[in-house]
Amino acid sequence: MNKAALILAVLSTVTLGTPASAAPKLSAQSIIVNPVPTDLSVRVWVDRDPGGNGTPTYRVGDEIRIAATVNEDAYVYLFNVNPDGTTDQILPNHLSGTHYVRAGQTRTFPAQGDNFVFNVSGPRGLNKVLVIASRTELNLSQLSSYRSGEAFATVKPTTTPGFAQALSIVVNPIAQPVPQQNWTSDTVRYTVGR
């Protein structure tokens, strides 16, 4: 599945266009960071590095599983950013059920029993998985949409800066903004080799 193929990279450091005192930022280290302290925490890892501290290697065609846990009940969103700057939305999708995760629960995507797998595809290189956890459900209509009959949403921005700007609008919309202490993010790295 091309949409579920996990090939991630960060192209550059970009400051998002929100007020300077509390602007989410796109960085080479974390893709998007909430600069406001919050008690909400989320952790993401891949199956070959349960500690989430290394950079495991996968080959093109290998299956990969992503896991996330939160310390409070939260909605969990997973993305991958491809080396060419495009982004794929992994979660929510139409195959995994809910993207609401209970405090202390570990959710793996795809979960055992899901009727799909994620296969790593090219190009080769250093990749990242981004997870956003939010106490309230986020409106992703500025960021992605489902095509008729598709199980995975298509992310509208086709560049990393475009994705960062759209994501900043999702977490900091003009109408009914999400309080910044209500969301947080984490990333994990892996390499696609030969």
Side-chain angles (χ1 to χ4, degrees):
M1 295 176 118
N2 193 19
K3 277 289 172 209
L6 301 177
I7 309 304
L8 312 170
V10 174
L11 301 177
S12 64
T13 301
V14 177
T15 301
L16 301 177
T18 56
S21 62
K25 295 184 191 246
L26 180 73
S27 75
Q29 290 73 36
S30 59
I31 300 179
I32 188 167
V33 176
N34 185 347
V36 176
T38 177
D39 293 332
L40 177 62
S41 68
V42 63
R43 190 171 79 81
V44 64
W45 64 94
V46 293
D47 56 351
R48 292 189 183 169
D49 183 27
N53 299 317
T55 308
T57 299
Y58 292 83
R59 291 186 171 163
V60 172
D62 285 352
E63 287 185 21
I64 186 171
R65 293 175 64 163
I66 304 165
T69 189
V70 289
N71 68 332
E72 298 178 25
D73 294 355
Y75 293 91
V76 173
Y77 303 84
L78 287 169
F79 300 93
N80 68 269
V81 180
N82 298 294
D84 64 3
T86 61
T87 303
D88 294 319
Q89 180 177 307
I90 302 165
L91 191 72
N93 64 58
H94 287 193
L95 299 175
S96 293
T98 184
H99 62 287
Y100 188 74
V101 178
R102 297 274 181 203
Q105 178 185 20
T106 296
R107 291 280 310 273
T108 303
F109 307 97
Q112 211 166 28
D114 280 349
N115 61 354
F116 66 99
V117 297
F118 292 140
N119 292 103
V120 174
S121 64
R124 294 172 177 91
L126 182 64
N127 304 284
K128 283 191 177 187
V129 174
L130 167 67
V131 63
I132 302 283
S134 176
R135 290 182 177 117
T136 58
E137 193 162 16
L138 300 175
N139 178 352
L140 299 184
S141 64
Q142 292 285 323
L143 188 66
S144 63
S145 62
Y146 290 92
R147 294 183 182 149
S148 179
E150 292 290 321
F152 289 87
T154 299
V155 175
K156 296 172 188 176
T158 58
T159 65
T160 300
F163 171 69
Q165 289 173 342
L167 190 54
S168 73
I169 292 167
V170 167
V171 297
N172 195 18
I174 294 171
Q176 298 181 338
V178 176
Q180 290 212 296
Q181 68 275 8
N182 279 0
W183 70 273
T184 191
S185 65
D186 189 29
T187 59
V188 66
R189 297 172 185 236
Y190 70 92
T191 300
V192 176
R194 293 180 193 242

